[in-house]
Amino acid sequence: ILQVGSFKKLERANFLKNNLAKKGYPAFLMVARLSGEDEMWHRVVIGRFTQKEAAVKTAIRIKQIENLESVIKEVPRTMASP
Protein backbone atom coordinates (compact mmCIF):
# COMPACT_ATOMS: atom_id res chain seq x y z
CA ILE A 1 0.00 0.00 0.00
CA LEU A 2 1.00 3.61 -0.37
CA GLN A 3 0.41 5.80 2.69
CA VAL A 4 -0.26 9.41 1.70
CA GLY A 5 -1.47 10.84 5.00
CA SER A 6 -1.97 10.18 8.70
CA PHE A 7 -4.31 12.22 10.86
CA LYS A 8 -5.60 12.17 14.40
CA LYS A 9 -8.89 13.69 13.22
CA LEU A 10 -11.06 11.35 11.19
CA GLU A 11 -12.60 14.30 9.32
CA ARG A 12 -9.23 15.34 7.88
CA ALA A 13 -8.46 11.78 6.81
CA ASN A 14 -11.86 11.40 5.15
CA PHE A 15 -11.42 14.71 3.33
CA LEU A 16 -8.14 13.58 1.74
CA LYS A 17 -9.46 10.07 1.02
CA ASN A 18 -12.59 11.44 -0.66
CA ASN A 19 -10.61 13.94 -2.76
CA LEU A 20 -8.29 11.19 -3.97
CA ALA A 21 -11.18 8.82 -4.66
CA LYS A 22 -12.92 11.50 -6.78
CA LYS A 23 -9.76 11.64 -8.90
CA GLY A 24 -9.83 7.89 -9.43
CA TYR A 25 -7.32 6.70 -6.87
CA PRO A 26 -8.28 3.53 -4.92
CA ALA A 27 -7.99 5.34 -1.58
CA PHE A 28 -9.14 4.00 1.76
CA LEU A 29 -8.51 4.45 5.48
CA MET A 30 -6.62 2.30 7.94
CA VAL A 31 -6.65 2.88 11.68
CA ALA A 32 -3.46 2.61 13.72
CA ARG A 33 -2.52 3.05 17.34
CA LEU A 34 1.11 3.92 17.91
CA SER A 35 2.86 2.28 20.83
CA GLY A 36 2.74 4.42 23.93
CA GLU A 37 -0.19 6.51 22.63
CA ASP A 38 -3.86 6.25 23.49
CA GLU A 39 -5.07 8.11 20.41
CA MET A 40 -5.95 6.46 17.14
CA TRP A 41 -4.39 7.63 13.88
CA HIS A 42 -6.34 7.51 10.62
CA ARG A 43 -4.05 6.66 7.74
CA VAL A 44 -4.99 7.46 4.17
CA VAL A 45 -3.65 4.79 1.86
CA ILE A 46 -3.86 4.00 -1.83
CA GLY A 47 -4.21 0.63 -3.45
CA ARG A 48 -2.84 -2.78 -2.86
CA PHE A 49 0.06 -3.43 -5.15
CA THR A 50 1.29 -6.87 -6.16
CA GLN A 51 4.64 -5.46 -7.24
CA LYS A 52 6.77 -2.81 -5.57
CA GLU A 53 7.48 -1.23 -8.97
CA ALA A 54 3.80 -0.33 -9.38
CA ALA A 55 3.77 1.27 -5.92
CA VAL A 56 6.88 3.30 -6.77
CA LYS A 57 5.33 4.53 -10.03
CA THR A 58 2.16 5.54 -8.21
CA ALA A 59 4.19 7.32 -5.51
CA ILE A 60 5.97 9.35 -8.19
CA ARG A 61 2.66 10.22 -9.88
CA ILE A 62 1.07 11.21 -6.54
CA LYS A 63 4.02 13.52 -5.84
CA GLN A 64 3.96 15.10 -9.30
CA ILE A 65 0.20 15.48 -9.72
CA GLU A 66 -1.14 15.81 -6.17
CA ASN A 67 1.99 17.20 -4.47
CA LEU A 68 1.71 14.56 -1.73
CA GLU A 69 4.60 12.75 -0.12
CA SER A 70 4.02 9.06 0.39
CA VAL A 71 5.47 6.00 2.07
CA ILE A 72 5.34 2.50 0.63
CA LYS A 73 4.27 0.02 3.30
CA GLU A 74 3.73 -3.70 3.26
CA VAL A 75 0.32 -4.91 4.32
CA PRO A 76 0.54 -7.22 7.32
CA ARG A 77 -0.29 -10.81 6.34
CA THR A 78 -3.34 -10.76 8.56
CA MET A 79 -4.75 -7.94 6.42
CA ALA A 80 -3.55 -9.12 3.01
CA SER A 81 -6.35 -11.63 2.52
CA PRO A 82 -10.03 -10.97 3.20
Side-chain angles (χ1 to χ4, degrees), residues 9-26:
K9 293 189 177 192
L10 177 59
E11 297 81 16
R12 291 187 67 202
N14 271 323
F15 182 79
L16 178 57
K17 177 193 67 103
N18 292 337
N19 280 341
L20 292 170
K22 287 177 190 174
K23 295 177 181 182
Y25 296 101

Side-chain angles (χ1 to χ4, degrees), residues 1-2 25-28 45-49 75:
I1 60 173
L2 192 63
Y25 296 101
F28 60 98
V45 297
I46 293 176
R48 287 210 163 107
F49 302 95
V75 177

Side-chain angles (χ1 to χ4, degrees), residues 5 7 10 14 16 18-19 21 27 30-32 35-36 39 42 46 61 63 70 73 75 77:
F7 304 93
L10 177 59
N14 271 323
L16 178 57
N18 292 337
N19 280 341
M30 295 180 75
V31 178
S35 62
E39 293 181 290
H42 307 279
I46 293 176
R61 189 172 68 222
K63 175 62 178 167
S70 60
K73 295 189 168 209
V75 177
R77 288 196 183 273

